[in-house]
Amino acid sequence: MSTITEVALQSSHPPIIPLSFNGNQSETVRLYPLSNYTFGVKETQPEEDPSVIARLKRLEEHYSQYGMRRTCEGILVCHEHNHPHILMLQIANAFFKLPGDYLRPEDDEIEGFKARLDERLAPVGRIGEGEERGDWQVGDCLAQWWRPNFETFMYPFIPAHVTRPKECKKLYLIQLPKSKVLSVPKNMKLLAVPLFELYDNTQRYGPQLSAIPHLLSRYNFEFVDDNGKVVAVTPGTGAPDGYVPSTKVLAGDDTEMNEGIKEENGAA
């Protein structure tokens, strides 16, 4: 931080430094570079339901037997050239979702959520070889979305006339460690999506995912380079000249990491 400030003060037009503006600030989040992580693929995980109608029917059956469905999804954040990127799944080149899923009726919330993250992203063969199950740092709950009826619409509030919502989905911040191995099912893609791509982009990503930049705006970030040094903070230095953040395919669907920039035709 001091180095960044010193560089700024050496400018021919030094900035005017205001009083501290960090009252009641959430804890600063440290982000590690995308290059720190290893990505692979594992066996296909077919969707449980062949259609939206079938999915809503299964939700209705779940509700009649167990009550409101509990769903947890994770916002996994890293950075590339000091710009935050969200790790996100794309299924059948058609829609995007965060890692996670509904909890089993008997599951504890956090432990059940960790188990669902393992199912989606834990590499086969690594569990039991120096890595433990549920090795996820589940942070703050950033949002709750409610499904008032057996329909596709979810809301960030419970409508006034609804007393028995059918599903509650929580979005949790997952703080990634310095390095980690992640594997995605063959029928899915793991993407790194920059915040600017999500912001105000409901047409492509839908209201839940496009709201992520708003949810993360509460945090200040520290950006760590490949050598483990903090090289930028929020606010702080920007990306290198000429760099434009873009979505990257990391793994899945017969792709290799760093294959390049790809645009997919998808719906939210």
Side-chain angles (χ1 to χ4, degrees):
M1 178 66 178
S2 60
T3 302
I4 296 170
T5 304
E6 289 170 4
V7 171
L9 292 176
Q10 291 173 5
S11 168
S12 59
H13 298 284
I16 299 173
I17 307 299
L19 294 176
S20 175
F21 198 52
N22 292 307
N24 292 343
Q25 187 73 40
S26 299
E27 183 178 357
T28 297
V29 176
R30 175 164 289 191
L31 302 183
Y32 294 96
L34 184 62
S35 57
N36 274 27
Y37 304 103
T38 302
F39 304 98
V41 295
K42 57 186 178 182
E43 290 303 313
T44 296
Q45 292 181 2
E47 288 293 291
E48 294 185 68
D49 306 298
S51 66
V52 173
I53 294 176
R55 185 168 72 247
L56 295 177
K57 179 62 177 177
R58 186 161 56 85
L59 172 62
E60 189 171 355
E61 294 171 352
H62 180 283
Y63 182 82
S64 64
Q65 186 171 1
Y66 303 107
M68 184 187 74
R69 172 180 284 177
R70 302 172 299 152
T71 298
C72 294
E73 294 183 349
I75 299 177
L76 286 66
V77 194
C78 58
H79 82 88
E80 188 170 38
H81 297 298
N82 307 335
H83 185 83
H85 285 58
I86 308 301
L87 299 188
M88 191 176 300
L89 297 169
Q90 187 179 22
I91 301 175
N93 291 339
F95 66 95
F96 305 89
K97 72 186 300 292
L98 295 171
D101 214 327
Y102 65 89
L103 304 182
R104 298 176 179 86
E106 67 275 12
D107 283 350
D108 170 80
E109 180 177 341
I110 300 302
E111 293 307 312
F113 179 31
K114 290 179 178 180
R116 298 304 260 176
L117 288 174
D118 276 343
E119 289 176 11
R120 277 287 191 254
L121 295 178
V124 177
R126 300 284 294 188
I127 301 298
E129 297 181 10
E131 292 189 10
E132 299 179 357
R133 292 188 183 276
D135 186 19
W136 301 94
Q137 186 176 346
V138 179
D140 296 330
C141 176
L142 301 183
Q144 296 184 102
W145 288 82
W146 303 88
R147 192 186 306 276
N149 298 301
F150 300 115
E151 57 188 20
T152 57
F153 298 107
M154 299 189 77
Y155 302 87
F157 54 86
I158 302 177
H161 64 282
V162 174
T163 57
R164 298 181 180 181
K166 305 307 184 284
E167 180 178 5
C168 178
K169 178 190 290 185
K170 290 188 176 183
L171 303 186
Y172 279 98
L173 175 67
I174 304 297
Q175 295 197 246
L176 289 171
K178 184 177 180 180
S179 63
K180 194 171 181 67
V181 179
L182 301 172
S183 289
V184 64
K186 290 180 180 178
N187 57 316
M188 304 179 189
K189 291 181 182 179
L190 184 62
L191 310 176
V193 184
L195 287 190
F196 92 92
E197 167 72 13
L198 292 172
Y199 177 70
D200 200 28
N201 198 354
T202 57
Q203 182 177 3
R204 181 171 173 82
Y205 294 100
Q208 296 176 36
L209 301 181
S210 62
I212 289 176
H214 295 278
L215 302 177
L216 294 179
S217 68
R218 63 187 289 190
Y219 297 104
N220 284 332
F221 295 113
E222 290 181 341
F223 301 94
V224 178
D225 66 8
D226 295 331
N227 298 317
K229 296 181 179 179
V230 177
V231 294
V233 297
T234 304
T237 58
D241 292 340
Y243 169 72
V244 178
S246 59
T247 299
K248 287 194 171 183
V249 179
L250 304 175
D253 198 32
D254 297 323
T255 59
E256 298 292 336
M257 183 181 177
N258 292 329
E259 178 180 344
I261 300 171
K262 288 190 176 182
E263 284 293 329
E264 302 291 346
N265 295 321

